[in-house]
Amino acid sequence: EEEEEEELFISLDSEGRISGVGEGLNYDFKSFENVVSEKDISLLVSECDKVFVSESFWLPANQTPRTSLEKLAISIFKFHTSNCSDFNEAKSGIEWWTQVRKANTALKQQNIGLHWDKDEDLVDSHGINIHPQIATVTYLTNHGAPTILFDVTDSPEYGKIQESKIKKAWASFPRCGKHMSFDGRLLHGAPSEMGEWESKEDIRVTFLANVWLNYKPTGIDLFPQNEINTLKLSNNQINLNFGKKAPTKPIKVNLSNGTQHIFPFGSVGSEFEVASLIPSKFDKSARSFEIVFEPSNFPQLRHSTTVIREVSIDAEQVYNFILSLTNRTGTSFEDICNHIVNTCHCSQTKAKLVLKRHLKKLEQDQRVTEKLGLYRAVRRKQ
């Protein structure tokens, strides 16, 4: 007998947010300095590096955290929902993951392209964009690219991006212990061409956490307990020092001229682009900026000026390749992605995205269990 598909009902309000929840949340761009205690920084940097695996994890709002990183995540959730009471804890939580970028790698590897945070698996299954209420970045080092936010949102229907002009943007440069939050619907990224490094040993480490109320993104789960044991993750108490401090007010930059940047993005890496002036220099004494553009130079979100070859990658292609893997020396995450890139003529970004999407389906087949075990082990070492 064929299994019946579970019906999905999602209600969005006129602004594209999950309706009926979130009263009391503050969606404005906010930046808080020295939120993470100096004594916790080195531990968190090490833990973030251990779990940097290009995927996110879930922590329900009503679950006791098991690790230092989960304690950091739940502290962020509680802070941002402290004035909001119209949500169900059992159906709400925090999605978290880490990013690590290194100065001694190529610009392409340092880059975090523009994107909208969303329920990625729901996009695959239903073509619908659902965004978190609040998105956050906690910086654990002083180096690397700033987080750039553009005041533009996506369509609820995936792929229906409208060309538009953008009136405002924000730039948040890394500062150790800093916490930044913004409306989870906004387009953002960390373009490598804007990175700031002092030496080849520098790293950019960030802890990302998104607040979801009355909704759990499909396809993400708790961090595996066996991996907590294997990686020997700590369970130290992490206290964030928000206190009663007011957020640092971003420096307003009224931009009439600057350096032109082209930021490509899209499902295969570059179907769309934002063409924007960015200040040639930022005041180094401040680390957060609101950029207000003159009408004559509003950034443009537009279709890419480069011809893009659309590609389609199905689960069967990924499935067959993983089945063909052997325990040969040198097999790596990049080997797997490069095979998909060469076979399907797509970008590395698309290859990694597709590989992640199909993992759960592939895990259900006993024939690939051992191969996926190898893949996961290799992947965690990246």
Side-chain angles (χ1 to χ4, degrees):
E1 294 184 7
E2 292 187 3
E3 292 184 6
E4 291 187 7
E5 289 190 7
E6 184 180 350
E7 289 188 291
L8 181 70
F9 295 95
I10 301 171
S11 177
L12 301 180
D13 63 21
S14 60
E15 295 183 323
R17 296 189 178 102
I18 297 169
S19 62
V21 68
E23 184 176 353
L25 290 180
N26 191 322
Y27 300 105
D28 294 341
F29 172 89
K30 288 187 174 299
S31 177
F32 298 84
E33 301 288 339
N34 301 315
V35 165
V36 182
S37 171
E38 189 174 339
K39 68 179 178 62
D40 294 327
I41 292 293
S42 60
L43 170 68
L44 292 175
V45 167
S46 174
E47 303 283 276
C48 284
D49 190 41
K50 288 179 182 179
V51 304
F52 173 48
V53 291
S54 301
E55 64 180 283
S56 61
F57 305 97
W58 179 249
L59 183 65
N62 61 354
Q63 176 155 325
T64 301
R66 303 161 297 161
T67 68
S68 300
L69 292 180
E70 287 189 344
K71 288 178 178 178
L72 176 58
I74 206 67
S75 296
I76 291 169
F77 179 89
K78 289 179 178 179
F79 173 74
H80 287 287
T81 59
S82 59
N83 294 320
C84 178
S85 59
D86 63 346
F87 65 92
N88 183 332
E89 279 199 346
K91 296 180 179 179
S92 305
I94 193 110
E95 176 189 12
W96 66 270
W97 67 104
T98 70
Q99 293 281 11
V100 179
R101 297 294 185 272
K102 299 179 180 180
N104 62 1
T105 58
L107 282 178
K108 188 174 182 180
Q109 293 174 289
Q110 296 173 17
N111 193 57
I112 300 175
L114 292 186
H115 61 280
W116 283 284
D117 287 352
K118 54 189 175 290
D119 181 340
E120 300 283 1
D121 283 62
L122 189 68
V123 168
D124 286 346
S125 61
H126 292 79
I128 299 172
N129 288 317
I130 303 295
H131 304 285
Q133 279 87 356
I134 302 288
T136 77
V137 182
T138 302
Y139 301 91
L140 299 172
T141 61
N142 293 319
H143 313 293
T147 306
I148 301 292
L149 319 171
F150 289 101
D151 192 14
V152 61
T153 58
D154 200 2
S155 164
E157 187 176 352
Y158 181 71
K160 301 295 184 182
I161 298 174
Q162 299 294 317
E163 293 194 349
S164 60
K165 292 185 177 181
I166 303 168
K167 297 180 181 179
K168 192 162 55 173
W170 295 265
S172 172
F173 284 81
R175 176 170 283 175
C176 193
K178 171 183 170 182
H179 176 82
M180 183 268 287
S181 66
F182 57 98
D183 187 331
R185 302 172 304 152
L186 295 186
L187 183 68
H188 62 284
S192 56
E193 62 263 39
M194 296 180 67
E196 294 183 344
W197 308 98
E198 295 177 1
S199 75
K200 291 183 178 181
E201 286 70 43
D202 287 345
I203 58 174
R204 180 189 192 270
V205 180
T206 50
F207 181 83
L208 300 307
N210 288 346
V211 173
W212 293 87
L213 299 182
N214 289 7
Y215 184 86
K216 175 187 177 294
T218 56
I220 66 171
D221 300 300
L222 284 169
F223 193 88
Q225 182 62 49
N226 65 310
E227 293 287 357
I228 291 176
N229 300 333
T230 300
L231 297 173
K232 298 180 180 179
L233 297 183
S234 68
N235 189 21
N236 293 18
Q237 185 61 43
I238 302 296
N239 296 311
L240 296 184
N241 183 31
F242 287 107
K244 295 182 179 179
K245 66 170 69 173
T248 304
K249 199 168 186 179
I251 302 297
K252 184 171 285 190
V253 179
N254 292 297
L255 187 61
S256 57
N257 58 68
T259 303
Q260 181 76 0
H261 288 261
I262 303 294
F263 302 113
F265 70 100
S267 62
V268 298
S270 52
E271 304 99 303
F272 298 91
E273 63 189 22
V274 170
S276 175
L277 285 178
I278 297 293
S280 300
K281 291 184 178 180
F282 286 92
D283 179 0
K284 299 295 184 182
S285 65
R287 303 300 287 174
S288 297
F289 303 86
E290 178 181 330
I291 307 170
V292 180
F293 301 93
E294 298 292 335
S296 60
N297 59 31
F298 282 153
Q300 294 182 34
L301 190 165
R302 65 195 186 193
H303 283 83
S304 176
T305 53
T306 305
V307 175
I308 300 299
R309 175 179 177 179
E310 291 291 340
V311 297
S312 176
I313 308 173
D314 59 30
E316 193 65 24
Q317 289 173 293
V318 180
Y319 178 88
N320 288 334
F321 179 62
I322 292 181
L323 277 180
S324 72
L325 280 177
T326 64
N327 291 326
R328 65 183 185 274
T329 303
T331 299
S332 70
F333 179 48
E334 293 303 324
D335 290 336
I336 300 171
C337 287
N338 287 337
H339 176 84
I340 296 174
V341 168
N342 295 331
T343 302
C344 306
H345 307 288
C346 68
S347 68
Q348 281 278 349
T349 301
K350 180 68 173 178
K352 291 177 182 179
L353 189 69
V354 168
L355 202 50
K356 174 186 170 184
R357 293 290 166 274
H358 295 308
L359 276 179
K360 286 196 174 296
K361 180 176 180 180
L362 295 172
E363 282 178 324
Q364 296 170 7
D365 193 301
Q366 290 183 351
R367 291 176 297 169
V368 297
T369 300
E370 290 185 8
K371 303 300 182 186
L372 282 172
L374 169 65
Y375 165 70
R376 282 189 176 277
V378 169
R379 190 160 169 248
R380 288 204 177 278
K381 294 176 184 176
Q382 301 302 311

